[in-house]
Amino acid sequence: MKKQMQFELWDECNSKCTFCHLCNKNNITPNETKLNMIQDTLDKISDLSIYDEYDTIGFIGGEFFQGQLNTPEIKSKFMELIKVANDLLNNHIVKDLWLNASLLIGNQKDLYEAIDLIDDKTKLWILTSYDSIGRFHTPKM
């Protein structure tokens, strides 16, 4: 049984979920750090020798789809990362791609754009957290 390799690209998130390890911090990640983290991840997942042990890759934040892809350069680099992951899927180097997302905002255009870059959607997992106490309720419920 192979393992999943997970990359945390940054801590930045707007949600401030009570259960999250980020707590109430909204860690704004400098754009240069975002670009460097994406490039470091690209370098690592492009090293085909690592896939003897791993068969799934995952990208976590923070968050990616609440405005964190806030410049054309960052968005382009992130989408390049998704394209490389898609190539790994298409070439049967990995069997699944996991993307973590809060799914808490209405406008998910960046998420949809990333999903559109994956040829075989059955190999893509969109992961989110479940917290019945702090997340899935409103003052009316």
Side-chain angles (χ1 to χ4, degrees), residues 8-29:
E8 182 177 31
L9 299 183
W10 52 71
D11 286 342
E12 185 175 331
C13 182
N14 304 338
S15 299
K16 300 179 184 171
C17 298
T18 57
F19 62 86
C20 182
H21 75 281
L22 296 174
C23 301
N24 288 326
K25 298 179 220 165
N26 184 359
N27 295 320
I28 302 300
T29 303

mmCIF file of all heavy atoms in Angstrom, residues 8-29:
data_model
loop_
_atom_site.group_PDB
_atom_site.id
_atom_site.type_symbol
_atom_site.label_atom_id
_atom_site.label_comp_id
_atom_site.label_asym_id
_atom_site.label_seq_id
_atom_site.Cartn_x
_atom_site.Cartn_y
_atom_site.Cartn_z
ATOM 1 N N GLU A 8 1.590 21.521 1.999
ATOM 2 C CA GLU A 8 0.919 22.714 2.514
ATOM 3 C C GLU A 8 1.560 23.917 1.831
ATOM 4 O O GLU A 8 2.734 24.206 2.055
ATOM 5 C CB GLU A 8 1.066 22.837 4.030
ATOM 6 C CG GLU A 8 0.343 24.037 4.584
ATOM 7 C CD GLU A 8 0.426 24.142 6.095
ATOM 8 O OE1 GLU A 8 1.431 23.703 6.679
ATOM 9 O OE2 GLU A 8 -0.513 24.677 6.688
ATOM 10 N N LEU A 9 0.786 24.576 0.984
ATOM 11 C CA LEU A 9 1.342 25.670 0.201
ATOM 12 C C LEU A 9 1.448 26.958 1.015
ATOM 13 O O LEU A 9 2.390 27.718 0.830
ATOM 14 C CB LEU A 9 0.511 25.890 -1.060
ATOM 15 C CG LEU A 9 0.455 24.692 -2.013
ATOM 16 C CD1 LEU A 9 -0.347 25.046 -3.261
ATOM 17 C CD2 LEU A 9 1.834 24.206 -2.377
ATOM 18 N N TRP A 10 0.456 27.214 1.868
ATOM 19 C CA TRP A 10 0.498 28.399 2.737
ATOM 20 C C TRP A 10 -0.598 28.294 3.781
ATOM 21 O O TRP A 10 -1.486 27.461 3.703
ATOM 22 C CB TRP A 10 0.363 29.692 1.931
ATOM 23 C CG TRP A 10 -0.805 29.750 0.982
ATOM 24 C CD1 TRP A 10 -2.134 29.863 1.296
ATOM 25 C CD2 TRP A 10 -0.759 29.690 -0.442
ATOM 26 N NE1 TRP A 10 -2.909 29.894 0.168
ATOM 27 C CE2 TRP A 10 -2.085 29.786 -0.919
ATOM 28 C CE3 TRP A 10 0.289 29.585 -1.367
ATOM 29 C CZ2 TRP A 10 -2.396 29.777 -2.275
ATOM 30 C CZ3 TRP A 10 -0.032 29.573 -2.707
ATOM 31 C CH2 TRP A 10 -1.354 29.665 -3.147
ATOM 32 N N ASP A 11 -0.533 29.199 4.789
ATOM 33 C CA ASP A 11 -1.507 29.214 5.888
ATOM 34 C C ASP A 11 -2.676 30.155 5.646
ATOM 35 O O ASP A 11 -3.638 30.139 6.398
ATOM 36 C CB ASP A 11 -0.841 29.664 7.194
ATOM 37 C CG ASP A 11 0.055 28.607 7.793
ATOM 38 O OD1 ASP A 11 -0.077 27.431 7.430
ATOM 39 O OD2 ASP A 11 0.900 28.971 8.625
ATOM 40 N N GLU A 12 -2.608 30.982 4.650
ATOM 41 C CA GLU A 12 -3.595 32.039 4.458
ATOM 42 C C GLU A 12 -5.001 31.481 4.229
ATOM 43 O O GLU A 12 -5.224 30.644 3.365
ATOM 44 C CB GLU A 12 -3.201 32.906 3.261
ATOM 45 C CG GLU A 12 -4.105 34.092 3.056
ATOM 46 C CD GLU A 12 -3.602 34.975 1.932
ATOM 47 O OE1 GLU A 12 -2.388 35.019 1.679
ATOM 48 O OE2 GLU A 12 -4.446 35.629 1.309
ATOM 49 N N CYS A 13 -5.941 31.964 5.043
ATOM 50 C CA CYS A 13 -7.344 31.559 4.927
ATOM 51 C C CYS A 13 -8.211 32.653 5.536
ATOM 52 O O CYS A 13 -7.841 33.275 6.522
ATOM 53 C CB CYS A 13 -7.578 30.238 5.650
ATOM 54 S SG CYS A 13 -9.284 29.651 5.508
ATOM 55 N N ASN A 14 -9.373 32.846 4.942
ATOM 56 C CA ASN A 14 -10.294 33.881 5.419
ATOM 57 C C ASN A 14 -11.349 33.351 6.380
ATOM 58 O O ASN A 14 -12.077 34.125 6.975
ATOM 59 C CB ASN A 14 -11.020 34.521 4.228
ATOM 60 C CG ASN A 14 -10.080 35.088 3.207
ATOM 61 O OD1 ASN A 14 -8.928 35.394 3.501
ATOM 62 N ND2 ASN A 14 -10.539 35.223 1.983
ATOM 63 N N SER A 15 -11.473 32.052 6.520
ATOM 64 C CA SER A 15 -12.615 31.460 7.229
ATOM 65 C C SER A 15 -12.541 31.556 8.738
ATOM 66 O O SER A 15 -13.549 31.745 9.405
ATOM 67 C CB SER A 15 -12.778 29.997 6.821
ATOM 68 O OG SER A 15 -13.016 29.906 5.445
ATOM 69 N N LYS A 16 -11.371 31.380 9.309
ATOM 70 C CA LYS A 16 -11.171 31.427 10.764
ATOM 71 C C LYS A 16 -12.068 30.414 11.484
ATOM 72 O O LYS A 16 -12.709 30.725 12.491
ATOM 73 C CB LYS A 16 -11.391 32.838 11.303
ATOM 74 C CG LYS A 16 -10.446 33.851 10.702
ATOM 75 C CD LYS A 16 -10.705 35.250 11.226
ATOM 76 C CE LYS A 16 -9.802 36.225 10.505
ATOM 77 N NZ LYS A 16 -10.121 37.592 10.776
ATOM 78 N N CYS A 17 -12.135 29.199 10.972
ATOM 79 C CA CYS A 17 -12.944 28.144 11.599
ATOM 80 C C CYS A 17 -12.405 27.835 12.991
ATOM 81 O O CYS A 17 -11.196 27.763 13.191
ATOM 82 C CB CYS A 17 -12.923 26.883 10.744
ATOM 83 S SG CYS A 17 -13.643 27.113 9.099
ATOM 84 N N THR A 18 -13.295 27.659 13.948
ATOM 85 C CA THR A 18 -12.880 27.446 15.332
ATOM 86 C C THR A 18 -12.113 26.151 15.530
ATOM 87 O O THR A 18 -11.282 26.059 16.427
ATOM 88 C CB THR A 18 -14.102 27.449 16.262
ATOM 89 O OG1 THR A 18 -15.019 26.441 15.814
ATOM 90 C CG2 THR A 18 -14.783 28.803 16.271
ATOM 91 N N PHE A 19 -12.342 25.152 14.705
ATOM 92 C CA PHE A 19 -11.673 23.865 14.859
ATOM 93 C C PHE A 19 -10.308 23.813 14.175
ATOM 94 O O PHE A 19 -9.543 22.888 14.372
ATOM 95 C CB PHE A 19 -12.546 22.737 14.294
ATOM 96 C CG PHE A 19 -12.808 22.872 12.821
ATOM 97 C CD1 PHE A 19 -11.921 22.369 11.888
ATOM 98 C CD2 PHE A 19 -13.944 23.523 12.372
ATOM 99 C CE1 PHE A 19 -12.164 22.502 10.530
ATOM 100 C CE2 PHE A 19 -14.193 23.655 11.014
ATOM 101 C CZ PHE A 19 -13.299 23.144 10.100
ATOM 102 N N CYS A 20 -9.986 24.813 13.370
ATOM 103 C CA CYS A 20 -8.796 24.774 12.534
ATOM 104 C C CYS A 20 -7.527 25.081 13.331
ATOM 105 O O CYS A 20 -7.545 25.883 14.277
ATOM 106 C CB CYS A 20 -8.944 25.783 11.395
ATOM 107 S SG CYS A 20 -7.549 25.804 10.249
ATOM 108 N N HIS A 21 -6.429 24.470 12.911
ATOM 109 C CA HIS A 21 -5.146 24.737 13.568
ATOM 110 C C HIS A 21 -4.691 26.183 13.398
ATOM 111 O O HIS A 21 -3.869 26.667 14.161
ATOM 112 C CB HIS A 21 -4.064 23.776 13.059
ATOM 113 C CG HIS A 21 -3.561 24.091 11.682
ATOM 114 N ND1 HIS A 21 -4.255 23.747 10.536
ATOM 115 C CD2 HIS A 21 -2.447 24.743 11.272
ATOM 116 C CE1 HIS A 21 -3.577 24.153 9.483
ATOM 117 N NE2 HIS A 21 -2.482 24.757 9.894
ATOM 118 N N LEU A 22 -5.253 26.879 12.426
ATOM 119 C CA LEU A 22 -4.912 28.287 12.246
ATOM 120 C C LEU A 22 -5.638 29.183 13.245
ATOM 121 O O LEU A 22 -5.284 30.352 13.390
ATOM 122 C CB LEU A 22 -5.258 28.739 10.824
ATOM 123 C CG LEU A 22 -4.487 28.070 9.704
ATOM 124 C CD1 LEU A 22 -5.046 28.509 8.351
ATOM 125 C CD2 LEU A 22 -3.013 28.365 9.790
ATOM 126 N N CYS A 23 -6.649 28.631 13.887
ATOM 127 C CA CYS A 23 -7.464 29.355 14.873
ATOM 128 C C CYS A 23 -8.012 30.638 14.261
ATOM 129 O O CYS A 23 -8.535 30.626 13.172
ATOM 130 C CB CYS A 23 -6.684 29.605 16.146
ATOM 131 S SG CYS A 23 -6.116 28.080 16.919
ATOM 132 N N ASN A 24 -7.888 31.726 14.982
ATOM 133 C CA ASN A 24 -8.432 32.993 14.500
ATOM 134 C C ASN A 24 -7.437 33.799 13.688
ATOM 135 O O ASN A 24 -7.677 34.958 13.384
ATOM 136 C CB ASN A 24 -8.925 33.830 15.687
ATOM 137 C CG ASN A 24 -10.189 33.257 16.276
ATOM 138 O OD1 ASN A 24 -11.017 32.714 15.545
ATOM 139 N ND2 ASN A 24 -10.336 33.354 17.574
ATOM 140 N N LYS A 25 -6.315 33.199 13.356
ATOM 141 C CA LYS A 25 -5.317 33.915 12.570
ATOM 142 C C LYS A 25 -5.749 33.949 11.113
ATOM 143 O O LYS A 25 -6.268 32.982 10.591
ATOM 144 C CB LYS A 25 -3.968 33.207 12.655
ATOM 145 C CG LYS A 25 -3.380 33.139 14.032
ATOM 146 C CD LYS A 25 -2.069 32.403 13.957
ATOM 147 C CE LYS A 25 -1.950 31.500 15.162
ATOM 148 N NZ LYS A 25 -0.907 30.530 15.002
ATOM 149 N N ASN A 26 -5.556 35.046 10.498
ATOM 150 C CA ASN A 26 -5.708 35.125 9.050
ATOM 151 C C ASN A 26 -4.310 35.387 8.526
ATOM 152 O O ASN A 26 -3.938 36.516 8.258
ATOM 153 C CB ASN A 26 -6.669 36.236 8.645
ATOM 154 C CG ASN A 26 -6.899 36.244 7.141
ATOM 155 O OD1 ASN A 26 -6.337 35.445 6.414
ATOM 156 N ND2 ASN A 26 -7.718 37.171 6.690
ATOM 157 N N ASN A 27 -3.527 34.335 8.467
ATOM 158 C CA ASN A 27 -2.129 34.468 8.091
ATOM 159 C C ASN A 27 -2.013 34.902 6.634
ATOM 160 O O ASN A 27 -2.127 34.094 5.731
ATOM 161 C CB ASN A 27 -1.404 33.140 8.277
ATOM 162 C CG ASN A 27 -1.355 32.736 9.727
ATOM 163 O OD1 ASN A 27 -1.145 33.576 10.583
ATOM 164 N ND2 ASN A 27 -1.563 31.476 10.003
ATOM 165 N N ILE A 28 -1.811 36.182 6.437
ATOM 166 C CA ILE A 28 -1.613 36.690 5.088
ATOM 167 C C ILE A 28 -0.228 36.230 4.640
ATOM 168 O O ILE A 28 0.771 36.503 5.303
ATOM 169 C CB ILE A 28 -1.713 38.233 5.038
ATOM 170 C CG1 ILE A 28 -3.071 38.700 5.566
ATOM 171 C CG2 ILE A 28 -1.447 38.742 3.634
ATOM 172 C CD1 ILE A 28 -4.260 38.180 4.787
ATOM 173 N N THR A 29 -0.187 35.528 3.545
ATOM 174 C CA THR A 29 1.075 35.021 3.031
ATOM 175 C C THR A 29 1.577 35.970 1.952
ATOM 176 O O THR A 29 0.840 36.270 1.004
ATOM 177 C CB THR A 29 0.871 33.613 2.430
ATOM 178 O OG1 THR A 29 0.317 32.771 3.439
ATOM 179 C CG2 THR A 29 2.188 33.032 1.946
#
